[in-house]
Amino acid sequence: MNKVILTGDRPTGKLHIGHYVGSLRRRVELQDSGEYDRIFIMIADAQALTDNADNPEKIRQNVIEVALDYLAAGLDPKKVNIFIQSAVPELTELAFYYMNLVSVARVQRNPTVKTEIEMRGFAGESIPTGFFCYPISQAADITLFHGTTVPAGEDQKPMIELTNEIVRRFNSIYGPVLNECQILLPQNQACMRLPGTDGKAKMSKSLGNCIYLSDSAKELKKKVNSMYTDPEHLTIEQPGHLEGNTVFTYLDAFCTDDDFARFLPDYPNLQALKDHYTRGGLGDGTCKKFLFNVLNDRLEPMRQRRAEYEQNIQGVYDILAAGTAAAREIAQQTIAEVRHAMRIDYFEDKELIAEQAKRYKGE
């Protein structure tokens, strides 16, 4: 079986460093590994419309923002297919078929759906049907391209479980057409779900607690300086606490021993910094300054690449068009296999037509 990656993001705003450590950084590593036959990166505009139906211009404008962030982060269109979800209608068709294989009760049990509904303030009958069914749409996204691997954060585990349930049910009814997939989680525990700069459980555009990949050095410094640390660490002499301390969570996700040699040579590694902080005598300002230098070091190359692509927006759309055309070609092949297995490929089934012609002629 070919090894195929399928992953993507909703274009509801620019991408932030939570996206980067949760999946985007890994995608860049995987494209350069040579381990995968195909890599599909989807800009999920149709899915974004499920809870932004009254603001399509928001999605329209942010498609290019996400594309720029992808390219700035290092995704290479020669190695990956970056495509736009709504331009592949086979995805909608496949999701429609899958809806007959999943009960309402099963979707309601999905913990990620419950969390997302609460975050968006939906209540009872106000939940858009499209949003409620987006785990089924995600299953179509993955299986249409025969995805075997989905780089994603831990919150996407329930989605992968449902996808594989759908695959097993489809194959048991119609035949072995689809393949199951597995999630590829971040290797670093701190990257599983990066908290917001305010210490909230999740970095979220709607909560205004994000550091964006496209933030300037000035914006980055302001956000790092305002980050939530240890509310009990009132003076430098006092012992500090690491749990819930956003600065150290970010350092866990980003810094390496080489960063200490470059930006904070008084310490050999992060553990030594943590030890000093917890026994007292180390101020939050020193830690924040170090974090700023680490993050700025990661983001500066992205800013430079983004600035170059911003000077050729037509070229970025050309990349999206080419990636979408390649994705559409695979999608059409898969949907043909699905229709054949479901016995709804009426016009292609010459045997069916001949058989019925003979029957109605009384032969």
Side-chain angles (χ1 to χ4, degrees):
M1 180 190 297
N2 289 339
K3 296 178 69 176
V4 179
I5 287 175
L6 185 287
T7 186
D9 300 279
R10 288 159 42 102
T12 54
K14 295 180 178 181
L15 300 184
H16 53 65
I17 62 173
H19 293 117
Y20 182 70
V21 297
S23 177
L24 187 50
R25 178 169 62 185
R26 195 73 177 277
R27 297 175 202 173
V28 175
E29 294 169 355
L30 294 171
Q31 78 171 2
D32 297 329
S33 70
E35 296 178 26
Y36 293 86
D37 300 281
R38 298 293 294 268
I39 299 178
F40 295 95
I41 312 291
M42 181 179 70
I43 299 179
D45 62 323
Q47 190 181 111
L49 284 168
T50 60
D51 58 328
N52 288 279
D54 59 345
N55 192 4
E57 190 61 23
K58 171 185 174 183
I59 308 304
R60 181 180 178 83
Q61 295 297 330
N62 280 310
V63 164
I64 192 67
E65 295 291 353
V66 171
L68 286 167
D69 282 333
Y70 281 166
L71 297 169
L75 287 177
D76 184 347
K78 295 179 181 177
K79 298 178 181 179
V80 302
N81 285 115
I82 304 174
F83 72 96
I84 297 178
Q85 184 184 35
S86 64
V88 183
E90 290 80 10
L91 289 167
T92 306
E93 180 179 349
L94 189 57
F96 181 78
Y97 298 149
Y98 286 173
M99 287 181 188
N100 299 316
L101 305 178
V102 182
S103 69
V104 171
R106 177 65 185 89
V107 177
Q108 286 176 325
R109 290 198 304 272
N110 188 308
T112 304
V113 172
K114 291 180 181 179
T115 300
E116 296 287 347
I117 286 173
E118 291 173 4
M119 282 181 60
R120 286 162 175 76
F122 293 137
E125 297 178 357
S126 71
I127 304 169
T129 304
F131 183 82
F132 182 74
C133 294
Y134 85 84
I136 300 172
S137 172
Q138 283 193 342
D141 298 335
I142 297 166
T143 55
L144 187 66
F145 300 101
H146 296 290
T148 59
T149 308
V150 182
E154 195 170 25
D155 61 326
Q156 293 301 305
K157 274 185 175 181
M159 305 302 188
I160 303 304
E161 291 171 4
L162 181 59
T163 296
N164 288 334
E165 287 177 21
I166 290 172
V167 167
R168 289 191 289 269
R169 182 158 171 73
F170 184 98
N171 288 347
S172 69
I173 296 172
Y174 302 114
V177 174
L178 308 172
N179 58 267
E180 295 186 36
C181 62
Q182 62 181 3
I183 192 168
L184 186 64
L185 294 169
Q187 296 170 312
N188 186 331
Q189 184 64 34
C191 300
M192 293 290 190
R193 184 174 294 191
L194 202 66
T197 55
D198 55 0
K200 298 282 178 63
K202 186 176 182 180
M203 185 173 287
S204 167
K205 294 186 268 295
S206 61
L207 296 175
N209 60 3
C210 301
I211 293 175
Y212 295 101
L213 300 182
S214 55
D215 278 347
S216 67
K218 183 178 179 180
E219 291 169 326
L220 175 63
K221 191 168 188 177
K222 182 178 179 181
K223 291 179 179 181
V224 170
N225 285 340
S226 66
M227 285 176 73
Y228 181 85
T229 54
D230 174 13
E232 298 179 12
H233 189 228
L234 302 178
T235 66
I236 291 177
E237 292 74 22
Q238 289 178 303
H241 298 87
L242 302 178
E243 186 175 355
N245 191 320
T246 308
V247 170
F248 280 95
T249 303
Y250 281 33
L251 287 174
D252 277 327
F254 280 95
C255 84
T256 65
D257 291 353
D258 288 342
D259 291 319
F260 283 92
R262 295 174 61 198
F263 303 123
L264 197 59
D266 290 345
Y267 302 89
N269 52 43
L270 182 56
Q271 188 57 53
L273 186 72
K274 288 180 177 180
D275 290 344
H276 191 178
Y277 188 78
T278 54
R279 70 174 179 263
L282 177 61
D284 291 313
T286 299
C287 300
K288 288 181 176 181
K289 183 179 179 181
F290 176 56
L291 176 60
F292 165 76
N293 285 328
V294 170
L295 293 178
N296 195 54
D297 182 69
R298 304 298 188 273
L299 296 184
E300 180 56 27
M302 298 187 206
R303 295 188 197 112
Q304 293 177 6
R305 282 193 292 266
R306 197 182 212 275
E308 292 173 7
Y309 280 109
E310 285 174 349
Q311 299 307 306
N312 185 17
I313 293 300
Q314 180 60 59
V316 176
Y317 274 104
D318 290 344
I319 289 170
L320 295 177
T324 300
R328 185 89 197 274
E329 186 176 336
I330 300 296
Q332 289 171 335
Q333 293 173 9
T334 303
I335 209 69
E337 295 168 4
V338 166
R339 289 174 183 163
H340 181 71
M342 295 178 69
R343 303 183 67 77
I344 57 175
D345 57 337
Y346 306 109
F347 306 126
E348 287 75 31
D349 193 341
K350 304 304 180 184
E351 189 175 311
L352 169 68
I353 296 171
E355 175 191 313
Q356 292 186 334
K358 290 175 64 175
R359 177 159 61 91
Y360 282 100
K361 286 181 180 179
E363 297 179 10

